[in-house]
Amino acid sequence: MVESAQPIMAALPGGPDRPNTVTIRDPRTDETVGAYEIMGARDVEHAVRAAKRAEKWWAGMTFAARKRILLAWKRLIARRAGELVELLSAETGKPEADAAIEVMLAVQNLDWAARNAARALGRRNLRSTWLSRNQHASVGYLPLGVVGVLGAWNNPVFTPMGSIAYAMAAGNAVVFKPHELTTGVGVWLARSWAEIEPDQPVLQAVTGDDRTGIALCRAAVDKIAYAGSEQGARAVIAECTRSFTPVVVERSGKGSMVVHVDARLRDAAQAAVFGAMSNAGQNVTGIQRAYVPASIYEPFLDLVAEQAAALRPGADRRASYGPMILEPQIEVVRKQVRDALARGGRAVVGGLDSIREPYIEPIVLTEVPEDSIAVTGEGIGPVLIVNRVADIDEAAERINAASNGIAVSVFTRDVAEVAAFAEKLRVGVVTINSSSAYAGIPALPFGGVGEYGQGHSHGVQGLQEFSRTLAIARKRYRAQVNLSTFHRHRRHLRAAKVMFGLRHGRVG
C-alpha cells in the first residue's frame, strides 16, 4: 500500500516499486511494511500553509481548551496503542515489549505537556525594584507559529513526541517529517490527530526522504526540531541558518557511567548492560562507556560480562533486543570495534564476529584508548566499553575530554556528594543509581552540551523552547521620583542617588 500525507493521508495508486515513493521494510525479515509518497517542496509548502491557518485557531484557544483536546488525543492513542506498537515493531524490528514501553513513554509526555502548559507558560506577575515600584511587570509565553519536526529512526515515537507534544501544548501547529525508515508511525500519529480534529490540521505528517526534510527547513516555519546524527544535525543547522530559522537539536550518541568504590556493583552492572544494549544500543539516553576505579574494576567487569553474555538478539518474543534499524550503522559499529581492538582494546564479550547482520550480539570491550573512535564517535550499537580509572575525578576528566555531553549515570551509596561531582561534568543530565530511567520523567528537561545539544526537550524548558516571551510593563501611578523624563527635578535625582547608596553601597 502506498500512502500520502497531504493534507490528511490518502491512498495513492501504485505499489512499493514506484520511483517517487519510499519503501519501508521490516529489518528483521526485509519484508515490505509499506510505501509512502516522497513529497516535494510544493507539497511541503502546502502543508505549512495549512498549518499556519490551523495555528491561528489553535493559538486563539485558552490553555484549558487546548488541554481538553490534547487529552482527548492522548486517550485515543492509549486506547489504540496496540496498533501503534505493532507498526513500531514492524518498522524498527523492536521486540513488542520495547515498542510498548516507547509508546507509553511518549503518551506520558503528551499527558504532562497538556496538563502543565498553563502553569509553565501562562502570564505571571514580576516584582519591581525600588526605582520602578510604580510599574506593574508581567511575563508570559506565546506560540511561535508553525514548528517543523524532523523525526529520528531509533525511537520514532518517543523522541519526536518530545517536540510534538510540547510544541502543540504551547499553541503551535506542527508539520512532522518522520524518518524515511519509520514513516508509518508518523503517518499514524497524524491520522490519529485528524480523528480528533478532522478540520484543523494542527498536526500533519509529510513523508519522504532527506529532500523532504530540507524542503521543510526551507518552508518558512518558525522553528525546526531535529534529532539524529551529527552529519544530519550539521546539515539542518546550515540549512536553517540561511533563513535564520531557529533550531533545537538532539544529536545522536550515548552517555557514560561512573561507578564509585562504594557502589552496589551488581546493580551498577545491570544498569550498564541495560543502558548499553537495550534497543540494540540505539538509544541516545543509553550508556556507551563505564569508568570504574581500579579497586573494583575486576569484579565489576566480571558482573558485566556475565550479564551481557546472557543476552540474545532476535525477532521472537524471548529476544533481549532486536536488529539494527539503520543498515549503515552496522558498518559504523564494525569500524569502531575494529579500531578499539587495533589500538590495544580487549574484547571481554563478543567481538567483530558478533556482527551478524541485521543483528549485533552483545560486545563488551575494555582497555580502550580514549582517542579511539569507539570512544569519540557516536555510540549507536550494543557495545559497552568498561575502562579502569584511578578515581572518579579521573573519570570526570575523561568524560569532559570526550566532549559528548549528553548524560552521565553515577552509581554510589554516598548520594549526598553526587551533586558536587555532577557540577564538574559538562553534560545535560546526571542520574544517580539508574541508567536511562530519567527518560520516563516528563518534567525533567533533556538536553546536551555543546555539539550534543541546542535547546531542550521535555519539562518546563521544553514548553518554553517552542514559545516566544512577551514581557509587559504598565505604569500604575505617577512616581514620586521620576527619572524617565528630560524635565526631571534635580531633587528627584538627589533623592535617587541617596536611595541608591543606601541600597547598594552598604555591606550586607
Side-chain angles (χ1 to χ4, degrees):
M1 180 175 62
V2 180
E3 304 190 29
S4 166
Q6 179 202 338
I8 298 172
M9 289 60 63
L12 291 176
D17 296 325
R18 283 173 57 97
N20 63 334
T21 61
V22 57
T23 301
I24 315 298
R25 300 184 185 279
D26 187 328
R28 299 167 296 190
T29 63
D30 203 37
E31 294 178 353
T32 298
V33 176
Y36 299 85
E37 176 189 6
I38 297 177
M39 299 175 71
R42 288 187 179 181
D43 301 315
V44 174
E45 289 168 2
H46 176 84
V48 171
R49 284 196 299 270
K52 289 182 177 180
R53 292 191 294 270
E55 194 272 338
K56 292 179 181 178
W57 167 80
W58 186 240
M61 287 187 175
T62 63
F63 285 109
R66 285 199 294 266
K67 173 183 171 181
R68 285 194 297 271
I69 297 174
L70 287 172
L71 291 180
W73 182 37
K74 178 209 72 169
R75 287 190 292 272
L76 186 150
I77 296 173
R79 287 196 301 267
R80 304 235 309 267
E83 295 176 21
L84 185 54
V85 166
E86 184 178 356
L87 181 58
L88 179 57
S89 290
E91 292 195 329
T92 65
K94 291 185 181 188
E96 181 183 348
D98 287 355
I101 291 170
E102 180 177 343
V103 170
M104 287 189 284
L105 290 174
V107 168
Q108 291 240 120
N109 273 277
L110 175 56
D111 180 80
W112 191 92
R115 294 183 187 277
N116 288 275
R119 177 182 61 84
L121 305 177
R123 183 158 295 279
R124 66 179 186 274
N125 295 333
L126 305 174
R127 295 183 62 182
S128 299
T129 68
W130 63 271
L131 199 58
S132 57
R133 64 180 57 184
N134 69 319
Q135 298 287 331
H136 178 275
S138 65
V139 63
Y141 298 87
L142 301 177
L144 294 173
V146 177
V147 173
V149 176
L150 301 174
W153 51 268
N154 52 338
N155 290 298
V157 178
F158 169 70
T159 299
M161 189 61 84
S163 296
I164 293 170
Y166 293 78
M168 291 175 68
N172 301 283
V174 173
V175 179
F176 176 33
K177 193 279 175 185
H179 192 278
E180 61 191 82
L181 295 182
T182 54
T183 301
V185 295
V187 169
W188 192 97
L189 289 172
R191 278 181 167 170
S192 66
W193 169 263
E195 290 186 34
I196 299 297
E197 290 292 341
D199 299 323
Q200 298 293 346
V202 176
L203 173 64
Q204 298 172 85
V206 292
T207 61
D209 53 18
D210 288 347
R211 293 168 294 178
T212 311
I214 291 174
L216 183 56
C217 292
R218 294 175 176 174
V221 295
D222 297 285
K223 194 163 197 172
I224 287 286
Y226 169 84
S229 68
E230 174 186 357
Q231 181 181 0
R234 293 185 183 278
V236 167
I237 292 170
E239 196 61 52
C240 290
T241 298
R242 300 172 185 264
S243 58
F244 293 99
T245 301
V247 297
V248 54
V249 171
E250 180 185 306
R251 238 190 73 181
S252 296
K254 283 195 288 191
S256 306
M257 175 182 284
V258 177
V259 184
H260 198 276
V261 291
D262 68 350
R264 293 180 173 87
L265 293 190
R266 185 166 293 276
D267 290 349
Q270 288 176 350
V273 172
F274 182 80
M277 310 295 176
S278 63
N279 194 25
Q282 300 167 113
N283 287 326
V284 169
T285 59
I287 292 174
Q288 180 184 23
R289 312 182 305 286
Y291 293 107
V292 189
S295 61
I296 58 170
Y297 166 78
E298 291 292 349
F300 178 80
L301 188 61
D302 289 343
L303 288 168
V304 164
E306 173 190 335
Q307 295 187 35
L311 302 179
R312 184 179 62 82
D316 58 83
R317 289 178 177 270
R318 291 176 294 177
S320 306
Y321 56 83
M324 299 299 289
I325 302 167
L326 187 64
E327 186 176 350
Q329 192 62 42
I330 298 173
E331 186 58 32
V332 172
V333 173
R334 182 179 283 112
K335 288 180 179 178
Q336 290 180 350
V337 173
R338 184 183 293 123
D339 184 70
L341 297 175
R343 289 173 176 267
R346 178 166 60 91
V348 180
V349 175
L352 288 170
D353 58 353
S354 301
I355 302 172
R356 303 170 182 175
E357 303 176 26
Y359 300 99
I360 300 179
E361 295 178 356
I363 299 173
V364 179
L365 307 174
T366 190
E367 300 171 14
V368 178
E370 295 293 311
D371 60 352
S372 167
I373 60 173
V375 173
T376 62
E378 294 179 296
I380 301 294
V383 180
L384 175 63
I385 296 170
V386 180
N387 275 350
R388 186 188 341 235
V389 293
D391 51 36
I392 62 171
D393 288 331
E394 183 185 350
E397 291 174 4
R398 292 195 183 192
I399 290 168
N400 290 341
S403 297
N404 46 1
I406 301 175
V408 170
S409 174
V410 181
F411 270 76
T412 179
R413 300 187 197 198
D414 190 6
V415 296
E417 297 298 319
V418 176
F421 175 72
E423 292 178 359
K424 299 178 182 179
L425 304 170
R426 284 188 51 78
V427 297
V429 180
V430 173
T431 66
I432 305 170
N433 295 332
S434 69
S435 55
S436 56
Y438 66 89
I441 308 173
L444 193 70
F446 179 73
V449 176
E451 290 187 1
Y452 274 78
Q454 294 189 24
H456 289 84
S457 57
H458 304 175
V460 170
Q461 288 83 350
L463 288 165
Q464 293 176 350
E465 192 71 55
F466 298 104
S467 307
R468 63 180 179 89
T469 304
L470 179 60
I472 297 177
R474 66 174 171 84
K475 181 178 176 181
R476 296 190 296 162
Y477 54 84
R478 180 177 295 180
Q480 292 180 343
V481 177
N482 184 13
L483 303 182
S484 301
T485 174
F486 287 113
H487 303 290
R488 58 181 170 256
H489 200 284
R490 288 183 180 178
R491 70 170 179 269
H492 288 185
L493 184 57
R494 286 197 301 269
K497 287 181 177 179
V498 171
M499 294 170 66
F500 173 79
L502 291 172
R503 185 169 184 86
H504 298 294
R506 294 186 301 179
V507 176

